[in-house]
Amino acid sequence: MAAPAPPKTLVIACGALARELLAVVGANRLTHLDVTCLPAILHNRPEKIPAEVRRKIRAARGRYDEILCLYGDCGTGGLLDEVLAEEGVARIEGAHCYEFFMGAPDFAALTDDDPATFFLTDYLVRHFDRLIVKGLGLDRFPQLLPTYFGNYTRVVYLAQIEDPSLDAKARAAAERLGLAFEKRVTGLGGIAGFVTPKNADAKHPSPSP
């Protein structure tokens, strides 16, 4: 007897995770799964994330068997989880992408070892100049560098893929910030484990009345 078809699923994701999520979808041939993303720039206004996620959920309601949310709390102070509970939608575990890329135990151990750590992901490495240097005004006001980064001791690059060009950019970013450099390869197992059908039974919270 053929296995039942997986539920038609929509993943609502942060735009900073689009490349990684699509890589997982392609590599695992998750043809039952559609992806929609919100702009990564919402991280600058995290108070807007819950309402934008709710809008996406309600626009898709009735067209999918399952809706998942690929966001951490991302600075919403629990408000995103409140919206998701009301809508009956599960999200990946973790306060932010650093945690679900590494896994909670390994992330906790890393930050316990040195809380003064600045993290980079593949996305942040690719867009370091735009998001960090120009975004914080360091290109125009380099004297602000100690204000922003003076209390950090190291950069830890959480690499989702092995790419020498990204390694070089990450090292240059750490040097630009005047911080020690470390690299940890995380892969994409955290995302894959969340969106693959084998975990579907654990992902159906009921909407709040």
Side-chain angles (χ1 to χ4, degrees):
M1 180 181 296
K8 185 172 176 58
T9 302
L10 176 69
V11 180
I12 299 169
C14 171
L17 301 172
R19 182 190 293 253
E20 289 73 20
L21 176 56
L22 291 174
V24 168
V25 170
N28 293 279
R29 299 180 180 178
L30 302 177
T31 57
H32 69 290
L33 191 151
D34 290 340
V35 172
T36 184
C37 293
L38 289 167
I41 195 67
L42 281 175
H43 280 286
N44 290 347
R45 298 292 302 275
E47 73 278 6
K48 293 186 175 183
I49 292 174
E52 288 299 303
V53 170
R54 191 195 298 275
R55 179 179 60 80
K56 287 279 192 182
I57 293 169
R58 293 189 173 179
R61 187 77 74 192
R63 296 188 286 117
Y64 291 91
D65 302 311
E66 177 179 49
I67 300 175
L68 303 175
C69 182
L70 189 61
Y71 259 94
D73 176 76
C74 296
T76 70
L79 294 179
L80 177 58
D81 284 337
E82 290 182 12
V83 165
L84 296 176
E86 291 168 3
E87 299 291 342
V89 170
R91 74 167 176 88
I92 193 168
E93 292 184 4
H96 35 62
C97 60
Y98 314 132
E99 185 173 341
F100 59 70
F101 278 142
M102 285 199 74
D106 288 344
F107 180 78
L110 185 65
T111 51
D112 286 347
D113 177 59
D114 186 354
T117 299
F118 185 76
F119 290 97
L120 293 173
T121 62
D122 289 359
Y123 176 84
L124 289 173
V125 170
R126 289 188 181 98
H127 302 285
F128 179 80
D129 284 342
R130 177 171 63 85
L131 296 176
I132 305 301
V133 176
K134 294 180 180 177
L136 296 178
L138 296 175
D139 55 333
R140 293 168 291 132
F141 306 104
Q143 67 273 20
L144 292 176
L145 182 64
T147 301
Y148 287 128
F149 294 98
N151 291 324
Y152 288 102
T153 59
R154 64 177 176 175
V155 165
V156 174
Y157 169 35
L158 304 180
Q160 285 71 71
I161 61 171
E162 289 279 21
D163 183 334
S165 67
L166 290 181
D167 290 349
K169 289 180 179 180
R171 290 182 179 277
E175 184 176 352
R176 175 74 173 77
L177 300 179
L179 301 174
F181 176 79
E182 295 180 27
K183 176 186 172 183
R184 308 290 176 94
V185 179
T186 68
L188 294 171
I191 293 177
F194 178 65
V195 301
T196 48
K198 65 180 180 295
N199 291 328
D201 289 345
K203 296 184 196 159
H204 287 285
S206 298
S208 298

